[in-house]
């Protein structure tokens, strides 16, 4: 049986992600857990996250999720969502500056610090449905390019290693909303809240062999 | 191209049923909340707002179960409001599957609760609901005040200053309901919508008074709202969500079609 572990580190709403996975994969077993053994035995792993980055990283370290993530990367398909994506980067300017897990190069910065965002009086958080420009990747199968996904975040990711980028978005500034490295696929938006396009992405993840 | 404006059908729920009153009285039954939410989800609504107007504690448990059922079937953002007074209330709703909670009276009586909630759960899930009523004197500059208890109780608080204060405390979004307009179908109060939308740097949802699709357009273009909320025009099938989106898009508003 296909077992999907949704990593629980005590932050935010993991139920949305779990419920959406159950919806697209009725024959899979979806477990919300931070048990290293359960995660090690699972076929694929989702790293969700909402809230402030410093608290997220602190909670991850407190329950050993940082080590679990390090052990999982490269071993099996893994999907990071929202703060779960940001946590994989090197550094965030949130909370006066916070070190992240450092698995992907690049940092996380505040929309409101960007000159074009200020000049256009854009509201922060970036909240709602925005278009994602896709770059070739099997996870986008069956999803039209420039489909809209639901975002809610005040900080955004940018990586200098452009070959990792598989999706971008524009909100005053252009930023990276989907990154892929080996069998990792990480997104800034919430596929579990993005209706048809989001559910298709989760379905693709459930079926993804982790290869390009 | 960029961020789309949102259409948010609102479900006023009492004891497990969708109801809709005119200025908070004269309630008509509009169905099972989960069925109604599924219908809006299928129609392409951008979010759902669920306002629990149940008074009793037993009714509150019904609400949690309704939110749980809804969150298993509806994969768009879900905001739950009504009677949110403590961090424990918020945790219950988020665990039941809500993405955001809307805080109304508790913010008025204990503004520090907004800061506590935003600090604990993140601003992205804290919506502050403001019920505003015009108190303008003839000949003077327009002014709006906050009212509580379904528009019956004045507080003397200036609505625009209040909205700014709420965002400073950590509100991630403002749900602005005009009490003069609610349920009477003459359109949003565009004056207060514009004043608050210009004053704060977080998204503003316009609410109260939608009777036709031009009102939705005006809420965005004249009121400066980031999202428009409506109840009865959708519940009683006067207009569908796709019809409303198409109409707004034809008038140059960026929508998710």
């Amino acid at each position: 049986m296909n077992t999907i572990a949704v990593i629980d580190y005590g932050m935010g709403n993991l139920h949305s992600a779990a419920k959406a996975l159950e919806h697209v994969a009725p024959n899979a077993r979806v477990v919300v857990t931070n048990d290293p053994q359960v995660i090690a035995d699972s076929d694929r792993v989702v790293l969700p996250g909402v809230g402030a980055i410093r608290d997220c990283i602190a909670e991850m370290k407190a329950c050993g999720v940082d080590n679990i993530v390090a052990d999982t990367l490269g071993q099996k398909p893994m999907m990071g969502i929202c703060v779960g994506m940001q946590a994989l980067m090197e550094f965030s300017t949130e909370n006066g500056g916070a070190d992240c897990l450092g698995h992907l190069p690049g940092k996380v910065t505040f929309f409101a610090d960007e000159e074009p965002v200020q000049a256009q009086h854009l509201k922060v958080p970036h909240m709602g449905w925005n278009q994602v420009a896709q770059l070739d990747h099997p996870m986008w199968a069956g999803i039209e390019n420039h489909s809209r996904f639901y975002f809610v975040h005040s900080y955004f990711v940018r990586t200098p290693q452009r070959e990792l980028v598989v999706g971008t978005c524009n909100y005053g500034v252009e930023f990276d909303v989907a990154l892929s490295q080996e069998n990792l696929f990480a997104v800034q938006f919430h596929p579990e809240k993005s209706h048809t396009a989001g559910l298709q992405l989760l379905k693709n993840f459930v079926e993804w062999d982790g290869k390009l | 191209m960029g961020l789309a404006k949102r259409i948010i059908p609102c479900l006023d729920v009492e004891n497990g049923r969708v109801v809709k009153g005119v200025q908070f009285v004269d309630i008509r039954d509009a169905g099972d909340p989960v069925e109604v939410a599924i219908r809006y989800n299928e129609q392409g609504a951008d979010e759902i707002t669920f306002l629990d107007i149940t008074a009793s504690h037993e009714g509150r448990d019904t609400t949690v179960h309704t939110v749980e059922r809804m969150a298993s079937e509806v994969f768009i953002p879900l905001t739950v409001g009504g009677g949110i007074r403590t961090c424990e209330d918020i945790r219950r709703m988020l665990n039941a599957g809500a993405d955001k909670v809307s805080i109304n009276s508790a913010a008025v009586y204990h503004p520090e609760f907004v800061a506590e909630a935003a600090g604990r759960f993140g601003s992205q899930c804290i919506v502050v609901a403001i019920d505003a009523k015009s108190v303008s004197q003839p000949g003077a500059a327009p002014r709006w005040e906050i009212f509580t208890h379904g528009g019956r109780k004045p507080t003397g608080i200036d609505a625009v200053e209040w909205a700014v204060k709420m965002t400073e405390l950590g509100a991630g979004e403002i749900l602005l309901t005009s009490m003069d307009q609610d349920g009477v179908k003459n359109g949003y109060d565009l004056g207060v919508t514009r004043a608050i939308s210009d004053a704060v740097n977080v998204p503003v949802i316009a609410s109260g008074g939608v009777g036709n699709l031009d009102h939705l357009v005006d809420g965005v273009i004249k009121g400066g709202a980031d999202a428009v909320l409506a109840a009865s025009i959708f519940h009683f099938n006067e207009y569908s969500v796709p019809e409303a989106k198409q109409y707004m898009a034809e008038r140059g508003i960026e929508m998710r079609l």
Side-chain angles (χ1 to χ4, degrees):
Chain A
M1 188 194 272
N2 194 347
T3 303
I4 306 156
V6 177
I7 302 184
D8 178 10
Y9 49 96
M11 292 290 290
N13 178 7
L14 309 170
H15 300 262
S16 296
K19 280 173 175 165
L21 287 161
E22 283 165 3
H23 186 81
V24 299
N27 297 322
R29 200 165 75 93
V30 179
V31 282
V32 176
T33 181
N34 63 8
D35 183 328
Q37 194 55 50
V38 174
I39 295 166
D41 291 342
S42 67
D43 299 296
R44 52 199 79 234
V45 172
V46 174
L47 182 66
V50 294
I53 193 83
R54 173 165 294 169
D55 295 344
C56 277
I57 299 289
E59 289 298 325
M60 283 180 186
K61 289 187 172 166
C63 53
V65 164
D66 55 337
N67 293 327
I68 292 173
V69 169
D71 292 344
T72 303
L73 280 168
Q75 300 302 310
K76 62 184 82 173
M78 179 166 158
M79 187 168 189
I81 298 175
C82 196
V83 176
M85 175 201 197
Q86 297 184 357
L88 298 169
M89 310 307 294
E90 290 169 306
F91 180 80
S92 171
T93 59
E94 191 173 2
N95 304 123
D99 284 328
C100 303
L101 300 180
H103 294 296
L104 296 173
K107 62 178 188 172
V108 190
T109 50
F110 192 34
F111 275 117
D113 288 340
E114 299 290 310
E115 190 273 325
V117 172
Q118 294 169 1
Q120 295 170 52
H121 304 287
L122 296 178
K123 304 285 180 83
V124 178
H126 171 230
M127 185 187 285
W129 299 79
N130 207 335
Q131 291 179 302
V132 172
Q134 303 169 5
L135 284 93
D136 191 37
H137 194 282
M139 282 282 286
W140 296 121
I143 304 169
E144 213 175 308
N145 196 7
H146 304 291
S147 288
R148 291 184 184 272
F149 290 87
Y150 186 81
F151 290 85
V152 49
H153 61 129
S154 299
Y155 290 77
F156 66 92
V157 165
R158 214 179 256 151
T159 179
Q161 205 173 319
R162 302 309 295 167
E163 65 272 22
L164 300 182
V165 179
V166 287
T168 61
C169 182
N170 195 299
Y171 189 60
V173 292
E174 184 153 303
F175 57 103
D176 301 332
V177 298
L179 299 178
S180 180
Q181 187 177 55
E182 298 174 348
N183 44 17
L184 166 71
F185 192 88
V187 292
Q188 177 64 67
F189 52 82
H190 288 273
E192 75 280 14
K193 288 289 153 184
S194 296
H195 199 217
T196 320
L199 293 177
Q200 182 64 49
L201 189 71
L202 291 178
K203 193 162 182 287
N204 292 346
F205 176 66
V206 171
E207 291 162 4
W208 186 34
D209 60 5
K211 297 194 176 88
L212 285 175
Chain B
M1 299 303 275
L3 191 64
K5 300 294 179 183
R6 290 169 278 153
I7 288 188
I8 308 178
C10 178
L11 279 50
D12 292 301
V13 179
E14 185 174 35
N15 297 315
R17 297 292 290 177
V18 178
V19 296
K20 182 58 198 175
V22 176
Q23 281 173 324
F24 286 57
V25 288
D26 184 21
I27 285 164
R28 293 164 71 185
D29 189 286
D32 170 55
V34 179
E35 284 171 23
V36 174
I38 290 171
R39 189 172 84 222
Y40 291 139
N41 182 44
E42 285 167 355
Q43 287 187 359
D46 297 308
E47 288 188 37
I48 301 278
T49 289
F50 179 125
L51 290 183
D52 178 21
I53 58 171
T54 305
S56 67
H57 280 288
E58 302 76 36
R60 296 253 166 234
D61 292 333
T62 307
T63 298
V64 172
H65 293 306
T66 308
V67 170
E68 278 173 359
R69 281 200 296 139
M70 201 177 279
S72 315
E73 305 268 357
V74 174
F75 301 103
I76 55 176
L78 174 61
T79 301
V80 179
I84 302 287
R85 292 189 180 85
T86 63
C87 281
E88 188 45 41
D89 293 336
I90 297 176
R91 180 162 295 286
R92 260 183 110 191
M93 287 307 168
L94 296 181
N95 282 342
D99 300 285
K100 311 182 215 178
V101 293
S102 164
I103 303 173
N104 191 338
S105 308
V108 176
Y109 299 123
H110 306 285
E112 67 284 357
F113 173 49
V114 173
E116 187 193 347
R120 191 139 151 215
F121 302 102
S123 290
Q124 82 292 333
C125 70
I126 305 300
V127 182
V128 169
I130 295 179
D131 292 341
K133 224 176 198 174
S134 171
V135 292
S136 304
Q137 297 300 315
R143 194 169 175 277
W144 300 270
E145 271 183 18
I146 303 294
F147 280 68
T148 59
H149 296 81
R152 293 189 303 276
K153 221 172 150 185
T155 62
I157 300 168
D158 181 90
V160 180
E161 288 171 17
W162 182 249
V164 171
K165 180 176 174 181
M166 289 299 102
T167 62
E168 286 168 356
L169 289 176
E173 195 170 28
I174 300 288
L175 167 55
L176 171 65
T177 302
S178 159
M179 304 306 292
D180 306 291
Q181 304 294 329
D182 196 54
V184 298
K185 309 191 116 187
N186 290 334
Y188 301 118
D189 181 330
L190 298 174
V192 70
T193 306
R194 171 55 75 180
I196 288 182
S197 190
D198 285 349
V200 301
N201 192 39
V202 301
V204 173
I205 305 166
S207 157
V210 174
N212 62 47
L213 301 183
D214 284 315
H215 293 154
L216 301 178
V217 172
D218 288 346
V220 171
I221 292 179
K222 295 182 184 163
D226 301 280
V228 285
L229 179 143
S232 56
I233 62 161
F234 297 133
H235 295 340
F236 300 113
N237 296 314
E238 290 164 53
Y239 301 98
S240 69
V241 173
E243 214 179 327
K245 287 188 156 185
Q246 193 61 42
Y247 191 85
M248 293 172 79
E250 282 164 8
R251 276 142 194 88
I253 300 172
E254 184 145 3
M255 303 298 295
R256 178 177 71 105
L257 296 172

